[in-house]
Amino acid sequence: MNLTLKIWRQSDAGKKGRIVDYKIDDVSPDMSFLDMLDMLNEQLNNKGEEPVAFDHDCREGICGSCSLQINGEPHGPDRMITTCQLHMRTFKDGDTIYIEPFRAKAFPVIKDLIVDRSSFDRIQHAGGFISVNTSGNTIDANAIPVNKHDADKAFDAATCIGCGACVAACKNASAMLFVSAKVSQFALLPQGKIEATDRVLNMVRQMDEEGFGNCSNTGACEIECPKGISLENIARMNREYMSASLKG
Amino acid sequence: MSGFLNSTIARKFAMALSGLFLVIFLAQHFFINITSVFSAETFNEFSHFMGTNGFVQYVAQPILIFGVVFHFVMGFVLEIKNRNARKISYARYNGSANSSWMSRNMIYSGGFILIFLVIHFIDFWVPEINIKFIEGDMSGLDAAGNYRYYDHVVHSFEPIWRTVLYIVGFVFLALHLIHGFQSSFQSMGFNNKYSKALKGFTTAYAIIIPLGFIFIALYHHLN
Ligand code: SF4
Ligand code: FES
């Protein structure tokens, strides 16, 4: 298939970027989206042009590093997948595809399609952990009974790969789905109860400081999340936050 | 408290609470208005009671006005932060792929409702406050010695422009409530197995109440 790509090019964080058009021919429908970008970059290299910078690592939907806003949706039009799992058969011959970086004030562009998502790391550092004694007398996690329902919900929340698609999809660039997943994975487990109050207060404070928007409950994040993280987590975080605030 | 209201979650919680309060007020307003379709006398009596009762005028009304002002001021504050959170917008943004139009345009439906409310206040609230609390005539009677409330309503809906304006206002109200009413529960942390049923109820409410108001406006216009 032959395609027209409209790709955001920006040489570095300080420079102004713009959309540049590229034609690419003979794309196989079996290629992944990132394979297609590799092919484009090879052609650009051969012509002596600067290849398009984009994030990727595992290429199997588990690391969360690939990003890309494709035709106005994070990770493209398919559901429950990352960009590396998106196949070119999703598109038709002759299509024009917009490829832009995930946009948020808290995700500044580093180069072309690569954005700096370290704001997520700082939110995690603010409270996305539990303190476990690792000096030799650690209690086996399995020794603490957890009911199946809570364990399942905690595990579902823990499948968040921190890709940032929720922020990219949200009209307010809100990080509530990500943060709520990181709060919920501990809030539901006995191991997470000890630091529960500080965790939610600190993580939400950091989220606000990073400049993410507010949640309007549009639900766009849940639809676009490659891991199917549910809005229930946001409601849980709201409850956790309000009760933590009352406790002081 | 102001420190507390700096956090995004607390603000949304406050937004939800004030919104729910306004939703309840709306039902009360509707039930009084609908009596005007059945009995001018009942409507007059209700209106006179609401306009002269001390609790309604000095307690409920200030709370209501505070609720309205808080809801829209906070709405604008949140909107500004949301806009700041994405400085460069997408060249292509496919919002309809993942969210409803209503949910993405609360600021516009809300903004129109605000304009409508100002007009509505000028139409009904300001004249009554003027006669009762400025001129000091608490009787509620017109020159002929009859209650004026019902006639005021009928008279107001004679011109087609006002009737249409009110209908458009109620359509925006419905659009605002379809998202806002159910969304308020999520903001307050309520999302569980009852949420689906609740969404059915809130959606029905968001459509039926504005439709009822439209019916009342049209009824008085056509009669
Ligand atoms: S919640 Fe979903 S979309 Fe957001 S960072 Fe986690 S995996 Fe990505
Ligand atoms: S490259 Fe790891 S999730 Fe796509």
Side-chain angles (χ1 to χ4, degrees):
Chain A
M1 39 206 275
N2 301 335
L3 303 165
T4 305
L5 307 176
K6 288 181 170 290
I7 302 180
W8 180 263
R9 302 301 310 261
Q10 180 173 344
S11 53
D12 64 56
K15 297 271 163 47
K16 260 186 120 82
R18 65 194 179 95
I19 299 269
V20 177
D21 290 8
Y22 297 94
K23 292 252 178 258
I24 184 163
D25 298 336
D26 301 323
V27 172
S28 154
D30 297 330
M31 280 179 171
S32 84
F33 201 84
L34 298 187
D35 290 340
M36 184 275 295
L37 285 179
D38 288 340
M39 185 170 139
L40 173 76
N41 277 346
E42 219 170 282
Q43 294 175 4
L44 292 177
N45 259 332
N46 289 343
K47 283 195 274 182
E49 288 178 33
E50 179 83 8
V52 179
F54 62 91
D55 258 328
H56 59 98
D57 187 14
C58 72
R59 298 211 179 198
E60 54 182 5
I62 50 171
C63 74
S65 59
C66 61
S67 50
L68 305 186
Q69 188 83 352
I70 300 164
N71 276 345
E73 287 182 79
H75 300 301
D78 277 1
R79 297 291 170 242
M80 299 284 285
I81 54 159
T82 51
T83 296
C84 57
Q85 297 169 297
L86 176 67
H87 281 86
M88 293 314 293
R89 53 179 167 270
T90 317
F91 302 92
K92 291 191 308 293
D93 185 37
D95 273 2
T96 298
I97 307 174
Y98 278 82
I99 309 171
E100 297 172 77
F102 282 179
R103 294 261 185 232
K105 190 173 99 190
F107 286 172
V109 172
I110 297 173
K111 185 177 174 154
D112 294 339
L113 301 170
I114 299 183
V115 296
D116 178 358
R117 285 171 279 184
S118 55
S119 47
F120 269 15
D121 299 336
R122 289 188 291 274
I123 294 172
Q124 278 287 63
H125 295 165
F129 51 80
I130 54 167
S131 303
V132 174
N133 189 341
T134 52
S135 58
N137 49 357
T138 315
I139 304 170
D140 187 319
N142 292 327
I144 305 168
V146 181
N147 80 52
K148 170 93 169 77
H149 177 260
D150 289 348
D152 286 351
K153 295 258 174 198
F155 191 80
D156 285 349
T159 60
C160 163
I161 53 176
C163 64
C166 42
V167 174
C170 177
K171 78 173 183 68
N172 308 331
S174 164
M176 290 282 279
L177 194 65
F178 165 77
V179 181
S180 72
K182 299 303 176 196
V183 164
S184 290
Q185 69 186 22
F186 296 124
L188 287 156
L189 300 178
Q191 290 91 333
K193 294 274 191 276
I194 304 152
E195 289 143 320
T197 307
D198 287 347
R199 176 181 307 114
V200 68
L201 293 176
N202 291 338
M203 289 179 82
V204 169
R205 183 184 30 76
Q206 189 64 36
M207 170 181 86
D208 286 344
E209 274 172 21
E210 297 290 348
F212 291 104
N214 307 286
C215 179
S216 290
N217 304 325
T218 70
C221 52
E222 180 184 54
I223 305 277
E224 299 291 355
C225 171
K227 298 297 158 188
I229 302 293
S230 156
L231 286 181
E232 264 180 57
N233 292 296
I234 297 185
R236 180 178 301 106
M237 176 163 73
N238 292 344
R239 291 198 295 277
E240 289 272 318
Y241 184 84
M242 293 311 289
S243 64
S245 303
L246 291 178
K247 279 184 215 154
Chain B
M1 188 66 188
S2 67
F4 177 65
L5 272 184
N6 278 337
S7 103
T8 167
I9 292 180
R11 284 178 176 179
K12 290 298 301 188
F13 193 95
M15 208 50 193
L17 261 189
S18 54
L20 277 182
F21 171 70
L22 297 178
V23 161
I24 293 166
F25 161 74
L26 199 66
Q28 174 254 315
H29 196 334
F30 174 74
F31 285 116
I32 292 182
N33 286 18
I34 194 77
T35 61
S36 70
V37 169
F38 305 113
S39 150
E41 204 175 303
T42 318
F43 179 73
N44 274 332
E45 271 161 23
F46 266 126
S47 303
H48 190 65
F49 172 79
M50 297 301 279
T52 50
N53 180 275
F55 177 79
V56 173
Q57 286 299 315
Y58 297 111
V59 181
Q61 184 161 276
I63 296 177
L64 176 65
I65 292 174
F66 174 78
V68 173
V69 172
F70 179 87
H71 195 73
F72 79 72
V73 169
M74 191 54 102
F76 285 121
V77 169
L78 292 169
E79 179 69 15
I80 291 166
K81 171 144 197 239
N82 292 344
R83 289 190 180 224
N84 275 333
R86 178 169 291 134
K87 294 280 191 205
I88 303 175
S89 42
Y90 290 112
R92 184 135 191 253
Y93 181 66
N94 192 1
S96 57
N98 50 37
S99 53
S100 72
W101 186 92
M102 275 88 73
S103 71
R104 279 178 281 122
N105 292 285
M106 292 298 276
I107 191 71
Y108 298 112
S109 53
F112 195 92
I113 293 167
L114 179 59
I115 296 171
F116 167 76
L117 269 184
V118 171
I119 296 169
H120 181 53
F121 259 55
I122 295 171
D123 283 348
F124 293 98
W125 188 77
V126 173
E128 278 304 319
I129 292 292
N130 190 29
I131 296 174
K132 289 200 174 82
F133 296 95
I134 309 233
E135 292 172 8
D137 172 12
M138 299 297 279
S139 71
L141 305 175
D142 59 15
N146 302 315
Y147 274 143
R148 62 174 171 265
Y149 309 106
Y150 180 80
D151 291 342
H152 186 172
V153 170
V154 173
H155 192 69
S156 298
F157 286 107
E158 263 165 25
I160 182 79
W161 66 265
R162 187 181 278 115
T163 311
V164 169
L165 188 88
Y166 273 58
I167 290 173
V168 175
F170 294 131
V171 169
F172 277 100
L173 181 64
L175 293 173
H176 198 74
L177 288 183
I178 288 173
H179 176 69
F181 194 3
Q182 51 104 3
S183 163
S184 62
F185 293 96
Q186 166 81 5
S187 293
M188 296 196 303
F190 186 87
N191 183 338
N192 54 36
K193 60 176 191 278
Y194 303 110
S195 292
K196 228 178 139 200
L198 186 71
K199 190 171 176 181
F201 167 74
T202 57
T203 309
Y205 184 100
I207 294 171
I208 291 168
I209 297 283
L211 263 186
F213 277 115
I214 290 178
F215 167 74
I216 297 169
L218 273 179
Y219 177 87
H220 291 301
H221 177 71
L222 296 174
N223 279 286

